[in-house]
Amino acid sequence: MRPATATAVAVTTVIGLGAAAVAAGRYASDVALGVPSGRPFPGDPKLTVHSTGPGRITLTRSLASLRPGTYGIEADGLHAVVGPVLDRVPHTADTVVRRLERVELGTLGPGVRVRFTPQLHVGTPGTALGLSYEDVEIPGELGALPAWLVPGARSTWVIALHGLGTTREQPLNLLPFLQRRQIPVLLPAYRGDAGAPAAPDGLGHLGDSEWRDVDAAIRYAVRRGAAQVVLHGWGSGAAMALHAAASSGVRDRIRGLVLDSPVLDWEATLRNLAAAHRVPGPLLPLAVRAAQGRTGFHGDRLQEAAAPGALRVPTLLFHGPDDTIAPWGPSQHLAELRPDLVTLTPVRDAPHAAMWNADPLRYEEAVRRFLTPLL
């Protein structure tokens, strides 16, 4: 082969490999960050319903079906709620019997394939819980953001921030607890959610851009009479809360933070999301680089927002070692470095953003103790 021809072939090969790498990285980042709102994270297997009876359901035995606590189970057109494992009820070695709390949507029967979810409720605060609420619109950077406003007598509001892959139905789990304490609660949708403006690139940013919608929510709460707010975020919603506490022009109104399964290391979380979607291991570094180039991610901004020295308000942190999406090591580290402001409540045997589900009473008591001096 002539030298010029050999060079051309080599260059073409390099360009081809480069283009393939770019395409692979783009695919991997799409898979990791393009999770549709309201669609559960991957990871837990689908389980078969073997039988149902009065107040009980028999499921395939797995680590997921053996978890302690209260969870939703869902399939297309189906949503139900299951409680603790019933150990003393007869069952086969490959099944688990749990308490069946209620069926909220659809028909539950033998052979149905379901997946566990932290979300217990489907619908609005009114239809799901019978609570009075307003449908409101928050003027956001990209357009109007739909939100639910549940009124209360207190001047301190809670703004509840759901995480990536979920909707504002996620915080409904905690809403009865907050309503009993007469705390106004604002539950906003943000960019990329159904009914909200689309993200310009069609991807979630793990809080890196979405926090500006939180800033808009705080400003709206203040206009509606909130003297101060507590931001309660799950997963990437917790990262949004940290960004807002560090960078919002109205951060002086933030009285405290409740962070559930917070995303404190976006690169690790991005890799975990891609891996959970079965992206091959060699493509994971490409997913990170592609996400950086496409979304403008800046890990240093999250590091600055979550830095021990950046915290200025009391922070209640729920996290556990079983979280395979957002590593809990950074949460431990933050709590160790700022014991004056951060209270860490470790939760075992619970997946990402399901800390409440593992032990609702313990979770709510921790929140009660945290909120009482802030109200």
Side-chain angles (χ1 to χ4, degrees), residues 15-375:
I15 291 173
L17 290 174
V22 170
R26 185 182 182 91
Y27 158 77
S29 64
D30 276 349
V31 167
L33 297 175
V35 180
S37 176
R39 187 171 180 178
F41 285 126
D44 283 348
K46 284 191 174 182
L47 307 173
T48 300
V49 176
H50 291 262
S51 65
T52 60
R56 67 183 60 175
I57 181 171
T58 303
L59 297 163
T60 304
R61 190 179 189 87
S62 73
L63 291 176
S65 61
L66 285 167
R67 284 186 190 126
T70 301
Y71 286 86
I73 55 173
E74 61 184 7
D76 288 341
L78 170 69
H79 190 92
V81 178
V82 298
V85 173
L86 302 176
D87 291 320
R88 298 185 179 182
V89 175
H91 58 87
T92 60
D94 62 345
T95 61
V96 173
V97 180
R98 298 187 73 116
R99 190 167 69 212
L100 178 60
E101 303 285 359
R102 63 185 182 274
V103 178
E104 293 204 329
L105 179 67
T107 302
L108 189 62
V112 174
R113 301 274 286 169
V114 298
R115 191 191 300 274
F116 270 54
T117 171
Q119 180 181 318
L120 264 58
H121 303 286
V122 176
T124 69
T127 60
L129 298 167
L131 298 177
S132 298
Y133 77 102
E134 285 183 65
D135 279 310
V136 300
E137 286 192 343
I138 297 169
E141 177 185 52
L142 301 179
L145 305 168
W148 296 321
L149 173 57
V150 180
R154 305 277 189 179
S155 61
T156 297
W157 291 28
V158 167
I159 299 179
L161 308 169
H162 71 83
L164 181 69
T166 65
T167 73
R168 52 191 166 135
E169 291 172 316
Q170 180 188 22
L172 293 181
N173 291 358
L174 199 61
L175 199 51
F177 163 81
L178 296 170
Q179 194 273 335
R180 289 194 298 271
R181 281 149 188 83
Q182 285 295 300
I183 300 171
V185 184
L186 185 63
L187 300 93
Y190 52 81
R191 61 191 67 189
D193 285 348
D201 56 13
L203 299 176
H205 290 195
L206 300 180
D208 194 61
S209 62
E210 295 90 346
W211 76 266
R212 293 193 287 273
D213 295 338
V214 180
D215 175 76
I218 298 170
R219 294 174 187 274
Y220 178 85
V222 170
R223 288 196 300 272
R224 289 293 301 267
Q228 53 194 9
V229 302
V230 172
L231 303 181
H232 190 142
W234 286 258
S236 57
M240 295 176 211
L242 282 166
H243 278 294
S247 303
S248 170
V250 286
R251 59 185 176 273
D252 59 307
R253 298 289 189 140
I254 300 173
R255 186 71 178 87
L257 303 174
V258 182
L259 310 178
D260 186 313
S261 311
V263 172
L264 301 180
D265 182 338
W266 74 261
E267 287 191 19
T269 298
L270 177 61
R271 288 194 299 270
N272 290 340
L273 283 169
H277 280 282
R278 300 182 181 178
V279 170
L283 295 186
L284 298 182
L286 297 177
V288 172
R289 289 200 292 272
Q292 286 174 320
R294 298 175 64 200
T295 67
F297 266 153
H298 293 283
D300 56 341
R301 285 203 295 250
L302 179 56
Q303 290 176 355
E304 291 170 4
L311 281 181
R312 298 180 178 86
V313 295
T315 301
L316 177 60
L317 211 165
F318 294 97
H319 213 159
D322 297 285
D323 190 334
T324 60
I325 300 296
W328 94 302
S331 292
Q332 276 187 305
H333 186 63
L334 181 61
E336 289 168 358
L337 294 179
R338 289 304 305 265
D340 55 322
L341 284 179
V342 179
T343 301
L344 173 62
T345 302
V347 181
R348 296 188 177 275
D349 301 318
H352 180 69
M355 306 298 107
W356 178 91
N357 302 81
D359 192 339
L361 293 179
R362 178 173 177 246
Y363 190 105
E364 290 178 1
E365 176 60 16
V367 174
R368 184 193 68 80
R369 289 174 178 270
F370 177 76
L371 289 180
T372 297
L374 305 182
L375 297 176

